Amino acid sequence: QVQLVESGGGLVQAGGSLRLSCAASRSIFSFAAMGWYRQAPGKERELVAAIGTGGSTNYGDSVKGRFTISRDNAQNTLSLQMASLKPEDTAVYYCNAVDIRPILGRVNYWGQGTQVTVSS
């Protein structure tokens, strides 16, 4: 069973920065993709950023140019550098990892989430 543990959330003022980290219990090189999602109260979970094994990245429209996703295969960690934070970035942020398995197909793993609160 894969475990993903997020850290780095907290309270920050608008315009500030935070860095989230996700530690995986196995080599992240083997995942088909990894990413960060977030869920604000009363809203659906949405993609923040994703990164493939080749380093290709994808960002949600609302965070483009402000957030940067990266992965460190040697340390088995995924990071999200967040800058120019806005109150609307307030949410629980979840780390995600994807396996592609024969027969099962896509298998998702999720961390427990870390709270990010941006005050105005």
Side-chain angles (χ1 to χ4, degrees), residues 26-71:
R26 76 169 211 217
S27 171
I28 66 171
F29 183 78
S30 61
F31 291 123
M34 296 189 76
W36 291 94
Y37 289 72
R38 68 186 182 188
Q39 188 166 19
K43 295 188 176 181
E44 292 186 354
R45 191 172 295 191
E46 64 174 358
L47 173 70
V48 176
I51 185 167
T53 53
S56 60
T57 57
N58 182 38
Y59 293 92
D61 288 341
S62 63
V63 306
K64 285 180 181 177
R66 299 188 298 123
F67 291 10
T68 303
I69 189 171
S70 61
R71 58 194 292 169

Side-chain angles (χ1 to χ4, degrees), residues 12-18 66 82-87 89 118-120:
V12 64
Q13 288 188 333
S17 300
L18 276 177
R66 299 188 298 123
M82 305 185 292
S84 302
L85 284 161
K86 305 175 182 180
D89 293 318
V118 184
S119 63
S120 58

